[in-house]
Amino acid sequence: MDEQMLLQASKQGDAEAYNSLVLQYQTSIYNVALRMVGETAVAEDITQETFVSAYRALHTFSAGNFRAWLFRIATNACRDHLRSAHVRRNTSLDALVESPTFRVSSDEESPEDYVVRRELSSFIQESLAKLPEDQRVVLVLVDIQAFSYEEAAQILKTPVGTIKSRLSRAREAMRATLSTQRELLPGQFRSG
């Protein structure tokens, strides 16, 4: 079944069809949540909350980009979490290192390379967490999740020009931060 058929069946109460949609998007939603909140358990909760909220509101989705609609729900849940009074402002660095999306498996990786890669992953997540929320979410959506500017604008209900300027500021901030830790960067990124 294609996505439109799954959506139609889901709207009619077909749990298997909705489960197919969940399976299709759960990893991407989780990855966005993890990069936004920096904690594995919270990202898992937000992922679950996203799909529950989407299911409850499925009747309101008439047409358009389901993926963008779903990611809007997820990013709003992340923002709500980050704004809550209960959030510790310290990001779990282990969450990023333990994330399978950040592991680069290599049978030839030396223990030293592994330690450097882990330190770099931790430093990147820490730097990402320090970005203002509006820049962080754009950087995660466009540079990490590979959404187009237009899709990110649709998800965030923000003009494309604003997306581009926030992304530019976020990239510059990350570039400046990473330049302070050149020894962690692979050789091709150390110059400049």
Side-chain angles (χ1 to χ4, degrees):
M1 290 182 117
D2 74 348
E3 187 172 274
Q4 290 306 315
M5 293 173 70
L6 289 171
L7 282 169
Q8 192 59 36
S10 297
K11 285 182 178 184
Q12 295 171 353
D14 184 339
E16 279 299 312
Y18 190 70
N19 190 48
S20 294
L21 291 170
V22 170
L23 291 173
Q24 182 177 345
Y25 290 107
Q26 70 183 358
T27 301
S28 297
I29 295 291
Y30 171 78
N31 287 334
V32 165
L34 179 62
R35 283 162 184 79
M36 286 295 298
V37 300
E39 297 179 50
T40 304
V42 175
E44 289 169 355
D45 290 346
I46 288 172
T47 301
Q48 183 174 357
E49 178 185 332
T50 297
F51 288 108
V52 169
S53 296
Y55 186 75
R56 288 182 180 150
L58 200 54
H59 67 281
T60 66
F61 180 78
S62 56
N65 188 334
F66 176 72
R67 179 176 177 232
W69 182 74
L70 192 59
F71 275 85
R72 182 178 318 123
I73 294 170
T75 57
N76 286 341
C78 291
R79 287 176 163 176
D80 290 346
H81 173 77
L82 291 169
R83 291 179 184 146
S84 73
H86 305 294
V87 174
R88 295 184 329 245
R89 292 299 171 192
N90 298 330
T91 301
S92 170
L93 301 179
D94 289 335
L96 179 70
V97 174
E98 292 171 6
S99 170
T101 59
F102 270 90
R103 290 183 185 251
V104 179
S105 63
S106 170
D107 294 334
E108 298 177 21
E109 184 177 47
S110 71
E112 295 81 13
D113 289 343
Y114 172 78
V115 169
V116 169
R117 182 176 49 81
R118 239 183 109 153
E119 286 178 21
L120 178 60
S121 294
S122 296
F123 185 73
I124 289 171
Q125 181 61 28
E126 185 179 74
S127 301
L128 189 60
K130 290 178 183 176
L131 287 175
E133 179 186 314
D134 61 340
Q135 292 177 22
R136 181 178 345 142
V137 69
V138 171
L139 187 77
V140 168
L141 290 174
V142 175
D143 284 351
I144 297 174
Q145 291 297 315
F147 280 97
S148 69
Y149 294 132
E150 292 76 17
E151 288 174 314
Q154 188 178 8
I155 291 168
L156 299 174
K157 292 186 176 181
T158 305
V160 172
T162 304
I163 295 296
K164 289 179 179 180
S165 66
R166 287 178 182 170
L167 183 59
S168 177
R169 288 192 304 270
R171 286 173 175 166
E172 183 55 38
M174 289 296 287
R175 196 174 297 118
T177 303
L178 288 171
S179 70
T180 67
Q181 297 292 319
R182 290 190 195 280
E183 69 278 359
L184 295 177
L185 299 176
Q188 69 266 31
F189 299 108
R190 289 185 188 171
S191 64

